[in-house]
Amino acid sequence: MRKKASKISRKKTFLLTQMLIIGIISGAFLLTGKDAGTEKDFFPVSVWYAGGKARAPMLEKFVPEKRDVWRKDLLQIKKLGFNTVRCWVEWTSNEEQEGNYDFRTLEAVADLAGEVGLKLIVQVYIDSAPEWVGRKFSDAKFVASNGLPVDSQSSPGFCFDHPGVREKILQFFSAAAKVVADKPAFYGWDLWSEPHIINWAEIYYLGNAEYLQFCYCPNTMARFRDWLREKYGSLDRLNEIWYRTFQEWEEVEPPRFGTILTYTDYIDWKEFISDKLAEDLRMKANAVRKVVPNGVVTSHSALPGLFSRPNWNGTPDDRKMAASVDFYGVSIYPKHAWTIEPWSVFFRSSGHDFARSMNWKNGGFYIGELQAGYGVFGMKLSLPVVGLDLRDWMWTAVGYGARAVNIYAYYPMSSGYESGGYGLIELDGKVTDRAIEAGKVARTITNNMDYFLNSTPPEPEIAILYNPLSHMVGGQQQFTGEGQPIGYNNLSESLQGTHRAFFEKNIRVDFLHIADLASDRAKGYKLLIAPYPVMMTKNNIQDLIGYVEEGGKLVAEARAGWNDERGFSSDIIPGGGLHEIFGCRETHVWPLQKPSELIVKISHKTMPFLHAGEKLDTLFFEEGFQLIDERSQVLAQFKNGDPAIVYSTYGKGEAVIVGSFIGSAYHHFQNPNNAKFFTGLAQWLGVSNPVDVVSSEDDVLVEARILEGDSYTILFGFNRGKKGTKAKFALSLPGQDWVARNMEKDAVIPLAFKDNKVLMEKELEPQEVWVVLIEQE
């Protein structure tokens, strides 16, 4: 149940703010983790700063003379408008000698944060290791798939699966927790920045880094065997599934290359890696919770999992990781050095929706790192980051349901291949325009924290199914439909294109992880869309069949259920029994050397925006169908006349299958008819939209997001175009007892009322953000 943002609590917040301003209770504002409880009752808006100018994960050693310098920095952070500082600890620096912990820098920053009225989040780094670890545990090196060990150069450290290394790492977490347990400023943790098996190291000297996998040390292989025992129960069963003839469990190793035989071993290995990462995170969380039970515990990925693949080295599954912590987060770098152009609004929107969706049980997500300054990688430089960027990026995160924004970093990187980049201010301390603008946003969030904490995005009625198993077709022998190697990401492009079609019409959608397909959450959607559904477990297929049978609506792209979880092809495609709900079966597949098209045959209720003769783009290949049920109906055909889109009923529900990848095609080519197919589904099912927006300029996209609280709504209006426009917003709020104010300027906004809608309008300049509170009088 959402908390009510009562007038009493708002008044209390206001009074506390005023008292802070005049300096009466600057210390009382800060609750220790022990006192704060686990209510997630604070909205951190922070900058990364650990004392001085050392770049993360490096640390400056504390000496008393630095206290005044660091206090000055923290006072400036507070003055800008931030309510939290995010510092870090790092194994190499903080335990140079075994058991001799030096957390003086952490203690100093924690104490100073408390003095100036900032809360503290602690980032923990163990991706580098002190030299004594290698001397003590000479058998703890990471081992590549080619059998060669990795000699650590501080980074990447040593394998967490080694019992001795694991014990020392968890002791390090516990020791850090003891330091902050009674610090008034302490609020919470980020226990793992951008989790992978190996971080911060490109191991080129061992061979082609693109194809090296980790870790093949004896300890990880032993842990993998335990995982296999749990999954299969016996060695005989494993031999049957893997098509092997092992005599002893000790013979079992993860695969190092692909063969023409089964690749179930490779699927198991990658599933194990994602399970292991989540379990490793859970162990770290337990280590600090034993000392500080109530500090908020988080971690964050390098980028939303929507854009990654399991076969990339040690890639986490965001849904699994979210289950190990209070909030799982993400790094957002729209102008990273590796970008030729900044991330598009479509890319950012799908990434934020994905992060939100994977954290649905947590009630929000964290922005673990938000880019503060221009990107640098050697001689590669990004476009400048300006104040408008930070305003856009911060409010976008909040509008999508983030529960923290952590800006990386306060000072630019002082050393390394990112030297000079990613800073909010200049290295000499000069405050920038972007720092001022980011601070204004932070102050608005802090002054209205009760509203933001007690409101959430509306529950979407449509979900896009995220099934990471679909990445695995072919195992290690992975190529796309166009013959491209494993670096390409067909599933991600299909998901992005489908999401974009809805985004452009301000229709809210979730991403539903396939692990949640059997949950009550899945049953609550009016529509499930399954892009690129080429590989699914038998159980997941039965869940989909049950969803339709009970009245759900399902739309799937080509070759649904082609392969099962072992990599075995179904006898009939759509596979696993899906042919029964779609009322058709595959007759043939034509590979496409270039995009082609399908042609709408008839008007139909499922496609209200499309008419006979209109064309949609197709991509990768075209799958022809044969109808097998009188309930089935051909809605569209390919150029050769073969059925391309088939509609059918099944049980209480309805299903549509498309014999190509029209979501990916829309991602690449933006044929409006592809988008009309998807948005027409929302029209067909009467999907409600709590806010509509109209732009006066046809070529200017205005995005409207809302957060809903008890008797109030927060509207976020974003001009996503390159020129100004007048935006007209209509919110579905019954009655006429509503008032509105600009949350940043605290100015009253005039409203109009019509047909149980609240109407307002605003001239929006390019990249402008408008944040409005609408509440009942």
Side-chain angles (χ1 to χ4, degrees), residues 505-521:
K505 296 300 181 182
N506 274 287
I507 300 171
R508 307 298 187 263
V509 295
D510 278 339
F511 289 99
L512 181 71
H513 195 292
I514 202 161
D516 296 316
L517 190 55
S519 68
D520 290 339
R521 182 177 180 81

Side-chain angles (χ1 to χ4, degrees), residues 5-19:
S6 68
K7 293 182 180 179
I8 293 175
S9 63
R10 294 171 197 159
K11 183 177 180 180
K12 182 179 178 182
T13 301
F14 174 78
L15 289 174
L16 288 175
T17 303
Q18 297 305 307
M19 294 171 77

Side-chain angles (χ1 to χ4, degrees), residues 149-160:
V150 178
D151 293 318
S152 181
Q153 300 171 181
S154 184
S155 174
F158 299 90
C159 184
F160 187 73

Side-chain angles (χ1 to χ4, degrees), residues 25-292:
I25 59 164
S26 60
F29 171 76
L30 297 163
L31 300 175
T32 64
K34 185 188 301 181
D35 297 329
T38 56
E39 298 176 11
K40 307 176 183 178
D41 53 357
F42 185 72
F43 196 120
V45 189
S46 83
V47 293
W48 285 59
Y49 174 83
K53 299 179 182 180
R55 65 146 303 157
M58 300 167 72
L59 286 165
E60 288 190 13
K61 294 293 185 182
F62 175 76
V63 293
E65 293 77 15
K66 292 184 178 182
R67 183 180 294 273
D68 288 341
V69 177
W70 294 3
R71 180 187 288 107
K72 182 180 178 182
D73 282 341
L74 291 168
L75 282 169
Q76 181 62 59
I77 291 169
K78 175 73 173 178
K79 181 180 178 182
L80 283 168
F82 296 96
N83 60 32
T84 303
V85 63
R86 184 183 181 114
C87 71
W88 55 89
V89 295
E90 192 265 338
W91 198 13
T92 298
S93 176
N94 294 124
E95 194 184 357
E96 292 183 0
Q97 302 299 323
E98 182 183 0
N100 184 15
Y101 301 108
D102 180 2
F103 287 115
R104 288 177 294 170
T105 296
L106 172 60
E107 288 187 272
V109 173
D111 289 339
L112 289 169
E115 290 177 19
V116 306
L118 291 169
K119 288 197 177 185
L120 182 76
I121 294 176
V122 182
Q123 176 74 58
V124 185
Y125 286 108
I126 51 89
D127 303 276
S128 57
E131 303 302 327
W132 64 262
V133 180
R135 291 192 295 269
K136 185 178 182 70
F137 305 113
S138 59
D139 57 342
K141 295 178 181 179
F142 289 106
V143 177
S145 49
N146 61 7
L148 298 178
V150 178
D151 293 318
S152 181
Q153 300 171 181
S154 184
S155 174
F158 299 90
C159 184
F160 187 73
D161 291 332
H162 187 285
V165 171
R166 182 188 301 150
E167 180 184 21
K168 294 301 178 182
I169 287 175
L170 296 181
Q171 287 175 357
F172 179 78
F173 276 88
S174 298
K178 292 174 183 177
V179 173
V180 297
D182 294 318
K183 298 295 183 183
F186 175 71
Y187 180 70
W189 305 93
D190 187 304
L191 299 178
W192 202 348
S193 173
E194 303 181 349
H196 289 84
I197 299 297
I198 280 187
N199 258 353
W200 311 333
E202 299 292 341
I203 319 292
Y204 293 114
Y205 80 97
L206 296 183
N208 189 330
E210 182 179 358
Y211 295 100
L212 290 179
Q213 300 291 313
F214 294 94
C215 177
Y216 286 72
C217 74
N219 296 293
T220 299
M221 288 197 288
R223 190 170 170 185
F224 180 46
R225 292 184 196 107
D226 289 342
W227 185 90
L228 291 170
R229 286 190 186 97
E230 179 69 23
K231 179 173 182 177
Y232 293 115
S234 70
L235 191 60
D236 287 342
R237 179 61 175 162
L238 178 69
N239 280 329
E240 177 187 350
I241 298 299
W242 278 23
Y243 198 71
R244 302 293 289 274
T245 56
F246 299 119
Q247 296 297 308
E248 304 290 340
W249 275 105
E250 287 67 27
E251 298 177 50
V252 180
E253 293 188 356
R256 301 172 191 267
F257 54 88
T259 73
I260 201 172
L261 307 176
T262 174
Y263 56 90
T264 311
D265 53 356
Y266 182 74
I267 297 172
D268 280 340
W269 173 237
K270 290 304 176 182
E271 185 72 12
F272 159 75
I273 290 295
S274 66
D275 282 353
K276 167 187 142 52
L277 291 171
E279 186 178 354
D280 291 352
L281 179 57
R282 192 173 301 113
M283 284 189 268
K284 295 171 185 178
N286 290 339
V288 297
R289 282 173 170 153
K290 287 179 181 178
V291 181
V292 189

